[in-house]
Amino acid sequence: MPSLCSESILSEDYADFILPYGGIRQPILEQYPQNCVLFPSPEFFLLYEPIEERRLSPKQAYSYFSIPKLYAPIDSTSMERSGIPAVQSNPLLNLDGRGVLIGFMDSGIDWQSPAFLGEDGQTRILRIWDQSLTAKEGDDFSSPASYPYGLEFTKEQIDAALDGSLPPLPTTDESGHGSFAAGIAAGGRFPNSSFTGAAPNAFLAMVKLKPAKSYLRTFFGVPESAIAYQENDLLTAAIYLTELARRENLPLILCVTTGTTSGSHDGTSPLGHILSQIAVQIGCAVVIAAGNEGGEEHHYFGQLDQANPEESVSLRVGEGENGFTLELWANLPERYSIRFTSPSGEVLPEISVSYGEEERLGFRLDPTLIYVSYHEAEVGSGDQLILMRFLNPTPGIWRIQVRNTFFLGGNYHIWLPIKGFVKEDTVFLRPNPDVTLTEPANASSPITVSTYNHYNNSIYIHSGRGYTRDGRIKPDLSAPGVDVFGPNTGQTLRFTRKTGSCIAAAHTAGAAACLMQWGLYHRNSPSMNSTIIKSMLIRGAERSPAYSYPNREFGYGTLNLYQSLTL
């Protein structure tokens, strides 16, 4: 089974599924005796089957819930504004994340960077699991014990590579996204630089996510050039980091810096479910970036009433767009139907699709194909989903006529894919910037962080905004993430500036590590978890008299770690 799994997980000839089960493995193994099956949690198992054309249909793919969604990375004075240097330098607090593990699931980490060395000159990186690598003959490296793919590198191996006892490790961080986030959260102190990370003595662990398979890119219309990761790989990464912290007997801060607009936007996705479970464990906290979709014009909010039960939604498709998905979500028990008008003016009749079926729509005057499937009760949320997959869409203005056929409140949402998965000029003509938190930031228990500009105290224009689709208050708070100063990749210490939601999450993850240290090691709160840390951060957050709180942009205010410990 390990060799079969290693091949199936990495091969483009196998399809991946996330399936729920009741915690009893034997019936599952008997049902799929020839397939790779992994059991990362008591709630879900991962199935890898030989790919077939029919598996690109939601009808044949068990359910839409089971298809791994594709996630993208979501891209000093910032520390001072967050009240972090004050808790590092205060002799009564002296908090620097010591004894806490901060885990990342991202593009990798530059293990050679001086930013991740400890006071003893050795690395503070306890593990790197590079999901994208395969073992070569004669290698000293292997896959993690529980996950038969990728290669795992230990602290001892990293130290040996740093001092020349081993050749350089084959894992890299090509984009620098993961390294920068790790540097903001836990970069070391440098006497000749003004920079220090939020938790400069914390341990680190990184899962470098493997690229998404081509068949999923085809299904969702994501270009091969876009950086995309699979939900099932994020799920195994989160559980791997939790298991690592448990083996090392360390508290864990899990920092999530990727997101997607696919899914229910209410926290019921498989990844959101797992992260919520991790977040409430004692000694664990989960921090999630709110995303950068607020100003991207990728969300439409519709409000119908019984007197006017339908409306036309205008969508502009940019030049060179090869394909994309639209997802319409509506609350149970409401029901909606749709029809399309192409840029040439051709009108298709209202779509009538049976539950679980997918209908293929063509046009006489346009080369566009649209695949439509209705899901009356999506598995995770129980709400209606209409999935629309466009292939070779004609550029111009498309109109989607949305009609309510079972009225209760008349509200519905439509989301385009996340930035980078569609052309910049593929947008709604009447977008709504609210309810633009990327998944899994809608999960209930983790700490969700939006992005603000600490130079002028304004919300970042693209920061994801609340609330969740089911009306819960998210984000929880906001942290600096605009033009933030931090370490760049390379053996020589260099610095750069970056902007994005991941940076705000990294600030908060470092602050959470300091609170975890204060609670567990200083014996102030032996039951520290996301719930307690979130409450402390909310209580200490700065609030401007110009706003009422909570709100959709800042949540309960802006991060101030010092106030969280002194109020």
Side-chain angles (χ1 to χ4, degrees):
M1 180 66 76
S3 61
L4 170 64
C5 277
S6 179
E7 176 188 348
S8 305
I9 293 170
L10 298 175
S11 174
E12 292 285 353
D13 297 326
Y14 284 77
D16 306 5
F17 300 99
I18 306 171
L19 297 167
Y21 83 117
I24 303 175
R25 298 187 179 191
Q26 193 56 38
I28 303 297
L29 294 173
E30 291 174 357
Q31 186 176 356
Y32 304 102
Q34 303 301 318
N35 298 111
C36 171
V37 180
L38 297 181
F39 298 91
S41 80
E43 294 82 16
F44 301 103
F45 71 95
L46 306 181
L47 174 65
Y48 302 86
E49 286 190 322
I51 197 166
E52 303 171 18
E53 185 65 29
R54 66 185 183 88
R55 287 299 184 196
L56 297 182
S57 160
K59 175 190 175 184
Q60 299 294 340
Y62 300 103
S63 70
Y64 181 65
F65 181 83
S66 73
I67 300 172
K69 311 308 179 290
L70 296 189
Y71 285 66
I74 41 182
D75 291 300
S76 157
T77 52
S78 65
M79 295 294 169
E80 292 167 1
R81 288 290 294 127
S82 300
I84 289 171
V87 305
Q88 294 175 349
S89 60
N90 187 313
L92 298 178
L93 296 173
N94 192 28
L95 300 176
D96 55 11
R98 192 182 303 267
V100 179
L101 175 64
I102 306 180
F104 295 86
M105 310 175 291
D106 210 304
S107 62
I109 190 167
D110 182 4
W111 55 271
Q112 299 181 83
S113 172
F116 306 125
L117 297 179
E119 295 168 340
D120 58 0
Q122 295 187 330
T123 187
R124 289 182 288 118
I125 305 171
L126 298 189
R127 289 290 191 286
I128 302 172
W129 175 25
D130 190 328
Q131 296 180 341
S132 67
L133 295 177
T134 54
K136 298 177 182 176
E137 193 165 342
D139 267 355
D140 294 325
F141 314 116
S142 59
S143 304
S146 301
Y147 304 101
Y149 68 110
L151 294 180
E152 183 181 48
F153 305 96
T154 66
K155 179 185 187 309
E156 292 73 23
Q157 290 169 329
I158 298 169
D159 279 327
L162 287 171
D163 68 22
S165 303
L166 278 180
L169 304 181
T171 182
T172 58
D173 179 10
E174 293 87 353
S175 71
H177 188 272
S179 298
F180 192 87
I184 294 296
R189 295 187 178 101
F190 301 102
N192 298 323
S193 168
S194 61
F195 176 80
T196 182
N201 271 315
F203 293 117
L204 291 141
M206 172 65 72
V207 178
K208 179 177 178 177
L209 300 164
K210 71 176 180 64
K213 291 183 177 181
S214 293
Y215 89 93
L216 279 173
R217 291 177 180 272
T218 299
F219 181 84
F220 288 105
V222 174
E224 288 291 337
S225 59
I227 298 174
Y229 307 120
Q230 293 183 197
E231 183 177 14
N232 51 316
D233 290 324
L234 282 154
L235 192 151
T236 57
I239 296 172
Y240 166 86
L241 291 167
T242 307
E243 292 171 345
L244 171 64
R246 190 175 297 120
R247 288 197 308 272
E248 297 288 336
N249 197 29
L250 294 172
L252 172 69
I253 309 298
L254 187 57
C255 184
V256 183
T257 53
T258 56
T260 184
T261 54
S262 296
S264 59
H265 290 257
D266 62 2
T268 58
S269 67
L271 181 59
H273 180 82
I274 291 296
L275 293 176
S276 284
Q277 285 197 333
I278 294 171
V280 296
Q281 296 176 23
I282 293 175
C284 290
V286 179
V287 178
I288 304 179
N292 304 320
E293 289 290 302
E296 295 297 341
E297 302 175 315
H298 290 171
H299 170 242
Y300 182 89
F301 176 61
Q303 288 183 294
L304 302 174
D305 56 45
Q306 288 179 302
N308 299 286
E310 64 179 86
E311 68 175 346
S312 180
V313 179
S314 297
L315 171 70
R316 185 178 70 208
V317 173
E319 294 283 346
E321 192 71 76
N322 293 320
F324 58 88
T325 57
L326 287 179
E327 295 187 15
L328 184 153
W329 289 85
N331 294 335
L332 183 78
E334 292 201 315
R335 186 178 297 122
Y336 290 81
S337 63
I338 57 171
R339 67 177 186 270
F340 299 95
T341 302
S342 72
S344 65
E346 184 175 351
V347 181
L348 295 185
E350 184 172 285
I351 312 302
S352 178
V353 185
S354 300
Y355 175 75
E357 298 285 342
E358 184 175 61
E359 184 162 333
R360 179 180 183 270
L361 308 175
F363 296 80
R364 292 190 303 273
L365 304 177
D366 296 286
T368 306
L369 290 176
I370 305 177
Y371 294 86
V372 178
S373 56
Y374 284 14
H375 305 259
E376 296 297 326
E378 188 263 348
V379 173
S381 65
D383 291 336
Q384 185 189 16
L385 161 67
I386 302 178
L387 179 65
M388 298 160 268
R389 300 195 293 129
F390 285 68
L391 182 64
N392 296 322
T394 300
I397 306 300
W398 285 80
R399 304 196 186 279
I400 305 167
Q401 199 72 17
V402 179
R403 185 167 72 91
N404 183 301
T405 61
F406 189 97
F407 184 83
L408 189 65
N411 297 338
Y412 67 92
H413 302 262
I414 308 177
W415 283 278
L416 275 160
I418 195 169
K419 180 183 179 182
F421 287 3
V422 288
K423 299 290 184 183
E424 287 191 6
D425 46 357
T426 297
V427 296
F428 289 109
L429 295 189
R430 190 165 62 85
N432 186 301
D434 296 332
V435 200
T436 50
L437 302 173
T438 51
E439 286 291 323
N442 298 284
S444 57
S445 300
I447 303 162
T448 300
V449 186
S450 64
T451 308
Y452 84 102
N453 185 335
H454 64 284
Y455 298 108
N456 59 17
N457 296 324
S458 67
I459 198 71
Y460 173 47
I461 187 172
H462 293 302
S463 178
R465 304 186 184 201
Y467 300 126
T468 65
R469 186 174 64 85
D470 56 348
R472 287 177 294 106
I473 294 171
K474 288 281 181 176
D476 298 297
L477 70 157
S478 190
V482 176
D483 200 27
V484 171
F485 183 72
N488 205 352
T489 55
Q491 290 178 265
T492 303
L493 188 62
R494 296 176 297 149
F495 294 91
T496 187
R497 292 184 179 273
K498 293 191 177 185
T499 295
S501 177
C502 68
I503 299 160
H507 269 96
T508 309
C514 293
L515 284 179
M516 189 71 77
Q517 178 189 8
W518 173 85
L520 297 185
Y521 292 108
H522 293 196
R523 303 191 179 190
N524 291 296
S525 179
S527 300
M528 286 293 260
N529 62 4
S530 284
T531 304
I532 296 174
I533 290 175
K534 184 194 303 185
S535 296
M536 292 182 69
L537 292 177
I538 286 174
R539 186 177 300 115
E542 291 189 10
R543 285 174 272 273
S544 166
Y547 301 101
S548 59
Y549 296 90
N551 58 54
R552 295 179 184 270
E553 293 82 15
F554 292 93
Y556 287 93
T558 59
L559 175 66
N560 189 316
L561 179 59
Y562 184 73
Q563 287 190 172
S564 296
L565 286 161
T566 55
L567 284 182

